Amino acid sequence: MVRCVIAGVDGSPESLAAADWAAREAGLRGLPLRLLHAWEWQAYANAPLSGPVAMRAWAAAVPRGAAVDLRERYPHLEITSEEIAGQPAAVLAAAAGEAEVMALGSRGLHGVTGFLVGSVALAVIATVHHPVVLVRAGKTAEDEHLPDADGLASATTGYRDVVLGLDLDRPHEDLLAFAFDAAADRVARLRVVHGWTLPPNVHGSGVVLPDLIKEATSERDRALTKALRPWQLKYPEVDVHAHQVIGRAADHLVEVSADACLVVVGRRIRRSAVGSHIGPVTHAVLHHSAAPVAVVAHP
C-alpha cells in the first residue's frame, strides 16, 4: 500500500478547501495526494440534472479539475485523481484505510451557529480508524499562519498553535502522536487543553470549598504533566504549553480554535446497539471550531 493523503472532493467550495488543506498536509509529510470523488446515480446539490452518461462524465471531471488547479499551485506535489461509483460514505470510509490522513469539507452557517457537518462526513468520522480532518469552506493557507509584521495575512510566517484536546482518563498514544507530529511538522507550538468538571465533594452545603478545588486542580496538573512527559522527551523540539480548565472541554477548545492552525481531538472506538458514536466533545468541536479539526480514533 502506497502511503498518501486523501481528500474527498465533490465540486463544492468546502471540499475544494479540504483538498487544498490536504495538498499542504501532503507537502509537510512528503507524501502523494489522492483526490477521490465518490458518486451515486442520483440528483444532488453539486451534480448536473442530466442522464447517467453525463453524470459519469461530470463525476470524472470533478477530481480531475481539482487536480489541475492544485498542480498549478503545488507543482512539486504528486497528485492523482479518481472517481468511484458507490455510496459516498462507504467509498470514502473504505479509502480512508489506505491513507495516513483524510480531509473532508464542512459548510459554514450564517451567524454564530457554527458549521454544518454533513451526514457523509459524520459517517466517515464515526466509522474509520484513521485520522480524518474536517476543513470548512473558505479556509486558506494564510489562516493557518500568524500575521506578518504589518498585521497582514501571510502564508510565509510561522504557524499558529496546534491545539490538542486531551482527556486524562484516556490519554491514548495515537492521539498524542498525531498532535506532536503535527506540531513538529509545522514547527508550531502545541497547546494542550484538558477540561474537567468539579467533583461532587467540592460542594459543601451548596457552597464551593476552595481548599478542595485547589487540591483537585493540583491533582489534574500532576496527571497532565505525567501524561505529557514521555512525549516531550520524544519531541524535544516541540514547545508545549499545557493547561487544565474547569468547565466543558468543548467550550474551551472552540474558544482557542480561533487562534489555531489545527485542533486535534479523539474519538473512542466503540460500538453500541445503535452504531458508532463520535462523542459529545468531538461532535461539538466539529460543529463550532474555527480551525480545521483532526479526529483521531483510538481504543
Side-chain angles (χ1 to χ4, degrees):
M1 181 180 67
V2 178
R3 297 166 59 232
C4 66
V5 173
I6 295 179
V9 293
D10 61 8
S12 64
E14 54 268 26
S15 77
L16 297 180
D20 195 62
W21 183 93
R24 299 193 298 275
E25 183 69 10
L28 287 171
R29 291 172 177 256
L31 296 176
L33 171 65
R34 177 185 172 196
L35 302 178
L36 176 61
H37 175 54
W39 63 281
E40 293 180 289
W41 169 230
Q42 61 181 22
Y44 58 99
N46 299 305
L49 299 178
S50 55
V53 174
M55 179 70 178
R56 291 191 187 96
W58 177 82
V62 169
R64 291 175 188 171
V68 169
D69 177 63
L70 291 175
R71 287 189 187 108
E72 291 180 354
R73 288 184 289 122
Y74 305 96
H76 302 297
L77 190 63
E78 179 185 345
I79 302 174
T80 59
S81 63
E82 67 177 305
E83 66 284 347
I84 298 178
Q87 202 280 328
V91 170
L92 291 169
E98 304 171 6
E100 289 207 355
V101 62
M102 171 176 277
L104 302 173
S106 74
R107 185 167 70 254
L109 301 178
H110 295 293
V112 295
T113 51
F115 305 102
L116 179 63
V117 184
S119 59
V120 171
L122 286 176
V124 173
I125 290 169
T127 303
V128 304
H129 292 184
H130 287 68
V132 178
V133 176
L134 205 68
V135 183
R136 67 181 177 89
K139 273 296 177 183
T140 65
E142 288 79 5
D143 296 321
E144 299 177 355
H145 292 259
L146 296 166
D148 64 18
D150 295 321
L152 302 176
S154 172
T156 61
T157 55
Y159 280 90
R160 297 178 185 271
D161 293 350
V162 173
V163 173
L164 168 63
L166 187 62
D167 181 353
L168 287 177
D169 294 330
R170 292 183 292 271
H172 198 270
E173 62 180 13
D174 289 349
L175 179 65
L176 286 157
F178 187 95
F180 272 86
D181 279 339
D185 288 344
R186 292 162 172 78
V187 194
R189 182 173 68 172
L190 178 59
R191 186 171 181 177
V192 182
V193 178
H194 169 60
W196 60 286
T197 56
L198 294 171
N201 66 325
V202 169
H203 297 271
S205 302
V207 179
V208 176
L209 304 179
D211 289 343
L212 290 179
I213 289 181
K214 184 177 180 180
E215 180 182 348
T217 300
S218 297
E219 289 179 358
R220 293 281 171 166
D221 279 335
R222 289 192 293 270
L224 189 56
T225 298
K226 181 179 179 180
L228 294 174
R229 184 180 297 118
W231 295 92
Q232 290 179 275
L233 293 174
K234 185 177 180 180
Y235 294 84
E237 74 279 16
V238 174
D239 181 18
V240 179
H241 285 223
H243 61 282
Q244 44 101 351
V245 289
I246 300 174
R248 278 170 35 95
D251 293 340
H252 296 291
L253 289 170
V254 169
E255 180 181 355
V256 299
S257 73
D259 197 33
C261 67
L262 182 67
V263 177
V264 183
V265 291
R267 178 186 74 81
R268 189 178 179 187
I269 299 172
R270 57 185 176 183
R271 184 170 292 277
S272 71
V274 293
S276 300
H277 291 275
I278 293 176
V281 173
T282 294
H283 194 276
V285 173
L286 283 173
H287 282 277
H288 297 284
S289 172
V293 180
V295 182
V296 182
H298 59 83

